[in-house]
C-alpha cells in the first residue's frame, strides 16, 4: 500500500556530512521524497515532537540533542513506506543494526543514531503534520 512516513536526518549525521549519502540511499531504495527542508528546532519543538517519550529517562537528553544543530526533515512516499524506511535505517541502537543499514553505517550509539522514522501510520500522520503544517 502506498504510504507516507516522516524521515529525519539528525544533527549528528548532518554534522558528519552524511546527509548526501543518506538521501542517495533513500532515492536508490525507490522512495519519492515529496517534501524536504533543513531546520534548526528549539528545545521546546523537540519536546513537542518527542512528547510520547516525555516520561522516559532519555527525554531530556534526546531533546537537547535534537535541538543542538540543523536537521533535515523529509516526507517519504512509497509502498509500505513506514516499514521500508525502518528496515533501511536498521535498529534504534546502531550497535544492534545489521550491516548495510544506515544506522550501522552512520549511527554512533542509541541516542546519536543518525536518523528517525515514524513507527506507525498514526505516528506518521502526527509527525508529518508537526513539520509540514502548511503543505
Ligand atoms: P528515534 O527513533 O528518533 O526515537 C526516539 C529517540 O530517542 C531515538 O531515536 C534515540 O535518538 C533516542 N533514544 C531512544 N532510546 C534511547 C536510550 N535508551 N537512550 C538514549 N536515547 C535514546
Amino acid at each position: 500500500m502506498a504510504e507516507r512516513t516522516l524521515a529525519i536526518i539528525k544533527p549528528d549525521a548532518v554534522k558528519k556530512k552524511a546527509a548526501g549519502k543518506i538521501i542517495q540511499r533513500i532515492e536508490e531504495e525507490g522512495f519519492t521524497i515529496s517534501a524536504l527542508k533543513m531546520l534548526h528546532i528549539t528545545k521546546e519543538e523537540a519536546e513537542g515532537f518527542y512528547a510520547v517519550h516525555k516520561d522516559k529517562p532519555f527525554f531530556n537528553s534526546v531533546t537537547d540533542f535534537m535541538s543542538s544543530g540543523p536537521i533535515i526533515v523529509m516526507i517519504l512516499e512509497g509502498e509500505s513506506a513506514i516499514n521500508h524506511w525502518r528496515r533501511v535505517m536498521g535498529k534504534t541502537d546502531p550497535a544492534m543494526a545489521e550491516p548495510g543499514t544506515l544506522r550501522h553505517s552512520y549511527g554512533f550509539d542509541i541516542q546519536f543514531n543518525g536518523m528517525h522514522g515514524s513507527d506507525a501510520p498514526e505516528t506518521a500522520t502526527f509527525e508529518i503534520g508537526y513539520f509540514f503544517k502548511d503543505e
Side-chain angles (χ1 to χ4, degrees):
M1 191 184 66
E3 227 174 28
R4 305 201 308 167
T5 191
L6 186 87
I8 304 180
I9 303 178
K10 296 187 179 184
D12 57 330
V14 173
K15 267 189 208 105
K16 61 172 83 144
K17 303 195 189 296
K21 294 186 202 81
I22 293 168
I23 291 169
Q24 180 172 4
R25 176 70 180 274
I26 287 169
E27 294 191 325
E28 285 168 358
E29 288 285 337
F31 292 101
T32 297
I33 302 173
S34 54
L36 179 154
K37 62 186 173 188
M38 177 180 258
L39 65 170
H40 190 157
I41 59 174
T42 62
K43 170 90 170 163
E44 290 69 33
E45 288 167 333
E47 288 171 350
F49 181 74
Y50 279 130
V52 295
H53 295 304
K54 68 179 183 322
D55 297 325
K56 305 268 174 61
F58 57 83
F59 183 65
N60 188 47
S61 61
V62 78
T63 53
D64 274 346
F65 162 50
M66 290 299 284
S67 56
S68 68
I71 59 174
I72 295 170
V73 294
M74 290 169 275
I75 301 174
L76 307 186
E77 283 187 17
E79 188 73 16
S80 303
I82 294 170
N83 282 329
H84 185 182
W85 174 232
R86 288 169 67 77
R87 278 199 311 278
V88 172
M89 288 192 295
K91 299 233 166 66
T92 305
D93 183 352
M96 312 287 287
E98 308 260 319
T101 63
L102 288 169
R103 283 178 172 149
H104 182 267
S105 301
Y106 304 114
F108 176 71
D109 66 14
I110 194 160
Q111 175 166 278
F112 300 104
N113 61 355
M115 60 231 79
H116 170 83
S118 312
D119 63 3
E122 312 75 56
T123 333
T125 302
F126 167 76
E127 293 183 348
I128 288 170
Y130 197 81
F131 285 115
F132 296 96
K133 293 184 178 61
D134 305 328
E135 299 88 333

